[in-house]
Structures are given as structure tokens and as C-alpha cells.
Amino acid sequence: MPHPLAGKPAPRESLVDIPALISAYFNRRPDPKKPTQRVAFGTSGHRGSAFRKSFNEAHILAITQAVCDYRAVHGIDGPLYLGKDTHALSTPAQETAIRVLAANGVETRIAEGGEYTPTPLISFAILGYNAQKGVSPADGIVISPSHNPPEDGGFKYNPPNGGPADTDVTGWIEKRANELLELDLEGVKSLPYEEALATHHIEEIDFITPYVLELGKIVDIHAIKASGLRLAADPLGGTALGVYKKINELLGLNLEIIHPYVDPTFSFMTLDHDGKIRMDCSSPWAMAPLVELKDRYDLAFGNDVDADRHGIVTPVGGLMNPNHYLSVAIGYLFEHRNWPESLKVGKTLVSSSMIDRVAESLGTEVYEVPVGFKWFVQGLHESWLGFGGEESAGASFLRYDLSPWSTDKDGIIMTLLAAEIKAVTGRDPAEIYAEYEARFGRSYYGRIDAPATPEQKAKLKALSPEDIKVRELAGEPIEGIFTRAPGNDAPIGGLKMVSANGWVAMRPSGTEDIYKIYAESFLSEEHLKALQEEGRQIVSEVIGSTPTS
């Protein structure tokens, strides 16, 4: 059940104490002997809070030095593009990173005037630079915990392919960073901040204008502008704010910006399902204020804090389920772009099977991978994936000329694509999805969490299809059991079982003592619940039940 205050304005007592948080960043020292205080790169980099001693100055000194060491070992000596989001810890963390990068002689490019930089703009800049002939490879760092609560910080590394770093890269950086923590930062080079800025290694650039001026090469800006659509964008206090302002200035769309300011407490937010402030643009509770305005606009949309995710609000459908909008976006792109038949659709294995049904109707092959956008980077970079998307509202796609735009998630092009769909087809994206349900069947999709000890999570991650002895799933024969993704044969870190009219997937959380149960039915809500419950029972039998108290 959602928290009693879910969808309600954040009470003052729920706001983070920003001065105390910044003080904790500089003054609390992590203990590398404690697992929760070590550097740990998950699917979206290292995340933590200064209060919990999991995101402090020592972490950023160590991680940034580890990135410098990685660059040196692997011959990456072009510029490093460094961006930050609007979380309170991001600016001090960027200052720490600048001290280390300058001391290591890394040519570092930061946003002019202290501007905030969305994740996709870092990827866009890396790809643009590396597309030049004869240049040394560039890479980047994004300081952001994405949609996490205001007290959190995050640090992500993007190698020269522009996308999220693969596990071999993050594993190398994580190992080296923890070695530095254990050595009490011996081996970390750093300069005083003012001295670092004064070196020739730090250069301020405009990230936003080049990105906005190129938008016509990936989205039909002319059609959107000619349609006169009344649009609204809510950056949720994040980095998309500067981009939408520049879009209005240079492209002249009929776009109203909701909450056009930055507030590190995010006090304007409504509480998420669990009663926390979380800038999740796919959450109906966090997006409640924008949903209330849906009838004032032809289309409204939001982004999370680093703008790599999207939330689409329509007069017909309200806040669209991310899986629904992904299906519509894929259907539209592969019908309206002059793309070759060889291009594939990338989806994560816990995304809706509606994507498979839409792709099949278009004669398009689906490339199914484990959870994590990093699995789409190569396909987008090499232009054999036309689209890559995941169930958590992250996606990117190719330009009109089939070159990559961003090999990281880009929530801004996804919101503008929704406006293009409305402008070109004259139809609400939610209406298009309703037509898909009429053609392909209605999808009932859900995710629940179940408790699990670290030992049980390890067992779940190590399962093989032979460990599953049952032959039926919610009354239907099991047609497939997967512990490796069909698209790239990579381990999924869990288990997926498929029947004719549904599927269930279970995978352990990387940060909490839970495992996640994803399921989808094309029969009924009751069938969905049966899939979830049978999936839980099957896993419990294999890894052992978890005490409820």
C-alpha cells in the first residue's frame, strides 16, 4: 500500500538540512572496512549519502583518481566532459573532482557559469568530439544520483563510446578506488580548488546550445512548431530546466515550463509511494501536480533530475505507464523514419512483451538484454539498434541519418518525440496505445519486492534453468526458462520464466536486501497476481524462504 502522504506536498519536516548535508560531505570519513561505506558501482554508478558515509569527499577523491588511473592505463587522453545535476551534493563533488582532474593533467570541460548538465548532453558531447578525425578519445563523468532523494549523491563514468560504463570498466574503477580508500587516500593527486581552476586543464564550455541546435536532426521540430501544440515541461527541479529554456529561446516552441527554478531541498515535490521525496518522472505520486494540469495542455512531460528519464502526461491517459509509451515510440519510429529493415529494437528482459508484439507486426527484430542501459550502448554506437529502451522510462534512438545521438538514456528527445507523435499523427499517444491493446491484447504488468538475505540473493543470481523443476506457470505450460538474455546471451543475474500468455522474472537488488519480481499477463489482473505469487514460491523453494520477522 502507498504511504498515506503519497502524492501530497512534501511537509517541511521531510526536507533535508542542506548545510548539515554539505558539512557531512566534507567532515565525515568513511570506513573502508564497512561494506556500506566502500565505493560500489551499481547499474548507474556509485550512489550514497554523506549522512550514511557512503558519498563523502573521500569517495570522490578516490573515484576520480581511479578514473584518471584508468584513463592512463587505457590510453584515453582526450578531453573529459564533466557534468553535475542539481542535487545538493553534486556541486561540492564536482569541485572535488576538478581538484583531482587538474592535478592529474586531465583536460576537463565543465559547463560555463556553473550551469547544470543533463546526462544525455555529456554523451552527446563525447560522441560529437570523438566523431572528428584524428582526435584522441574523449570520455566523461556525470555527478548525479538520478531521481534519488535530495540527500543522495551519485557519480557515473562514461567511456569514449559515450554510454554508461560496462561492468569490466566500473569493476576496475571500483577496485582501484577502494584500494585508495584503504590507503587513506595515499596516491590521490589533488590541488586546491582555486589553483585547479586557474590551470589550463579546466575549460568552461556551453553544453546546451549545440545540443538544442541539433535537435532537428533527431526530432521533427518543424512539425511540432507548425502544429501549435500547447506543451508543458516539468524538469522536477533538475538539469532539463536550462535545456527547455534554450529550446524556447532558439526553437520557439509553445512550451510552458513548470517549476522553472532549482531548489536543492526539492520542496515543491509531492511525496512518492513510500513517503519520500523522489524526483521520479514515471511515478504517479511524484508527478501528481503535472497530472492535475493534464487538461490545460495538448501534452505535458517531465524528466528526472539528470534528464535521462521521461514521463509523458496526456489528456487522455494521464501519466502514461513507461512500458506503454515505449511501445508507442517504437511503433511510431519504425513506421515513420526511413530506416532499413535491418535495424533492431532493444529492450530489457523485464520490459513489456507488448514491445515484442508491436515489433513483430512491423517485421522488426527484438534484441532482448539484461537490466541496464549499458547493454544498448554498442548497438546504438554502431547504429544497428534503431532504439534502445528500458522499463524504468529510459531510452534513446538514432538520428534521421542513422548516426548515434546519445548512447546514454535521453529523456529530452523522448519527451519531444511524444510531441512529434501528436503533431504528425494528430493523435494522443495514449489513444495509440489503446489501439495496440485492441490489436495485440491488454497487458497487465507489475513489480513487487520480496525480502531476501545476501546469501539468498547470491543463490538467486547463480540459478540455472536446471534448478527449476516445475513445468507449469499460473496454469500454463512453461515455454522457456532463462538465466541468460536471449539477445546477447549475457547473464541476467536472476531468472525469467515464460508461458504463452505471461512471464515472470526475479532478480536480486544490488543495494537492498530484497529481490524484485516482475511479471506480465495478457489475460487478467488475477493471472498477473498468480504469476507473481508462483514466481515467489518457485524462487523460495530454490533459495530458501525468508523469515518475515
Side-chain angles (χ1 to χ4, degrees):
M1 294 291 293
H3 190 277
L5 295 180
K8 306 294 184 183
R12 291 188 63 84
E13 59 268 22
S14 70
L15 304 182
V16 65
D17 183 337
I18 300 298
L21 182 68
I22 301 301
S23 176
Y25 172 81
F26 287 107
N27 295 318
R28 296 190 185 183
R29 295 296 296 269
D31 181 353
K33 295 185 178 66
K34 296 181 178 179
T36 58
Q37 297 179 27
R38 291 171 66 82
V39 173
F41 274 78
T43 55
S44 297
H46 173 78
R47 293 185 185 180
S49 175
F51 289 142
R52 300 189 297 271
K53 297 186 181 180
S54 52
F55 193 93
N56 305 83
E57 184 182 39
H59 293 105
I60 306 309
L61 288 167
I63 299 171
T64 309
Q65 183 63 54
V67 168
C68 294
D69 295 346
Y70 178 85
R71 297 178 98 244
V73 168
H74 293 85
I76 303 170
D77 54 1
L80 182 143
Y81 293 90
L82 176 63
K84 66 175 181 180
D85 78 358
T86 59
H87 278 79
L89 290 175
S90 295
T91 292
Q94 187 189 55
E95 292 179 1
T96 301
I98 286 171
R99 291 169 49 208
V100 177
L101 292 166
N104 282 271
V106 176
E107 181 185 343
T108 304
R109 296 182 177 177
I110 61 175
E112 59 185 9
E115 181 62 83
Y116 305 102
T117 309
T119 287
L121 271 67
I122 295 294
S123 180
F124 177 89
I126 294 170
L127 294 178
Y129 182 88
N130 289 338
Q132 303 174 87
K133 292 183 178 180
V135 298
S136 298
D139 55 0
I141 290 171
V142 183
I143 300 174
S144 168
S146 189
H147 60 286
N148 275 31
E151 64 268 23
D152 284 5
F155 192 104
K156 303 183 287 187
Y157 175 66
N158 287 36
N161 60 23
D166 205 345
T167 49
D168 59 340
V169 179
T170 56
W172 196 103
I173 294 171
E174 177 184 303
K175 181 175 183 290
R176 176 59 179 153
N178 283 318
E179 289 173 353
L180 291 167
L181 284 180
E182 291 164 359
L183 293 169
D184 198 25
L185 301 178
E186 183 181 342
V188 174
K189 301 177 185 176
S190 68
L191 295 171
Y193 182 61
E194 293 286 337
E195 186 177 334
L197 286 182
T199 69
H200 68 277
H201 301 302
I202 310 300
E203 177 187 358
E204 290 192 357
I205 66 170
D206 178 358
F207 280 97
I208 296 176
T209 300
Y211 175 93
V212 171
L213 290 175
E214 293 273 299
L215 281 169
K217 296 183 178 180
I218 191 165
V219 178
D220 193 342
I221 297 296
H222 176 75
I224 299 171
K225 187 173 181 178
S227 71
L229 289 173
R230 294 168 299 143
L231 305 172
D234 190 344
L236 299 185
T239 58
L241 174 61
V243 179
Y244 287 126
K245 284 182 175 179
K246 187 65 69 172
I247 285 172
N248 276 342
E249 175 190 335
L250 298 181
L251 304 183
L253 301 187
N254 185 15
L255 175 64
E256 181 177 347
I257 302 175
I258 312 297
H259 300 125
Y261 48 81
V262 169
D263 169 10
T265 68
F266 296 89
S267 60
F268 56 87
M269 289 294 299
T270 49
L271 299 181
D272 203 3
H273 66 94
D274 55 359
K276 294 183 179 181
I277 296 176
R278 186 179 289 108
M279 290 64 68
D280 183 354
C281 52
S282 63
S283 164
W285 298 280
M287 290 280 280
L290 192 60
V291 175
E292 290 178 3
L293 302 176
K294 66 182 179 65
D295 295 324
R296 286 177 47 182
Y297 305 98
D298 296 304
L299 195 71
F301 34 79
N303 298 104
D304 64 343
V305 183
D306 69 325
D308 68 348
R309 301 188 188 193
H310 59 271
I312 309 299
V313 176
T314 84
V316 171
L319 178 64
M320 291 188 71
N321 178 292
N323 277 305
H324 297 183
Y325 179 56
L326 290 182
S327 301
V328 172
I330 290 164
Y332 176 85
L333 286 168
F334 280 82
E335 284 183 325
H336 289 79
R337 295 291 190 266
N338 187 27
W339 284 350
E341 294 181 358
S342 59
L343 282 188
K344 299 179 182 180
V345 170
K347 60 165 281 198
T348 55
L349 84 158
V350 296
S351 298
S352 174
S353 291
M354 181 65 79
I355 292 172
D356 301 79
R357 299 183 180 202
V358 170
E360 183 180 8
S361 73
L362 297 167
T364 301
E365 183 179 345
V366 172
Y367 178 72
E368 186 170 326
V369 298
V371 172
F373 201 81
K374 63 187 178 184
W375 301 109
F376 301 131
V377 173
Q378 181 181 4
L380 290 168
H381 192 243
E382 297 175 357
S383 297
W384 50 263
L385 275 183
F387 182 97
E390 55 185 4
E391 80 296 335
S392 56
S396 188
F397 54 96
L398 298 181
R399 301 175 187 234
Y400 284 104
D401 67 0
L402 302 181
S403 63
W405 170 266
S406 168
T407 49
D408 212 325
K409 300 185 291 285
D410 190 334
I412 296 169
I413 60 170
M414 289 300 292
T415 60
L416 294 175
L417 178 65
E420 178 189 330
I421 292 170
K422 174 71 173 178
V424 171
T425 68
R427 303 178 65 196
D428 187 300
E431 290 179 332
I432 298 174
Y433 183 77
E435 180 183 292
Y436 287 167
E437 287 196 329
R439 290 174 60 189
F440 306 122
R442 182 176 178 182
S443 162
Y444 301 86
Y445 181 98
R447 193 198 101 183
I448 59 175
D449 298 336
T453 65
E455 294 76 17
Q456 290 171 325
K457 291 198 299 179
K459 286 183 181 180
L460 175 55
K461 193 172 183 179
L463 283 180
S464 69
E466 291 73 27
D467 294 320
I468 307 304
K469 305 304 181 184
V470 297
R471 294 293 174 260
E472 284 194 353
L473 180 64
E476 294 186 320
I478 294 176
E479 297 183 351
I481 300 175
F482 304 98
T483 55
R484 306 184 77 87
N488 60 357
D489 197 40
I492 65 177
L495 179 78
K496 182 176 182 179
M497 296 179 287
V498 180
S499 64
N501 291 292
W503 58 266
V504 61
M506 292 74 67
R507 55 185 298 271
S509 168
T511 57
E512 302 174 84
D513 286 336
I514 60 172
Y515 69 91
K516 303 173 184 181
I517 305 172
Y518 305 82
E520 183 176 32
S521 168
F522 279 85
L523 294 180
S524 66
E525 190 73 36
E526 292 72 25
H527 186 235
L528 170 66
K529 292 178 180 178
L531 289 167
Q532 293 170 327
E533 178 57 24
E534 290 196 20
R536 188 192 64 79
Q537 290 178 357
I538 290 169
V539 171
S540 294
E541 290 174 2
V542 177
I543 69 173
S545 60
T546 303
T548 57
S549 62

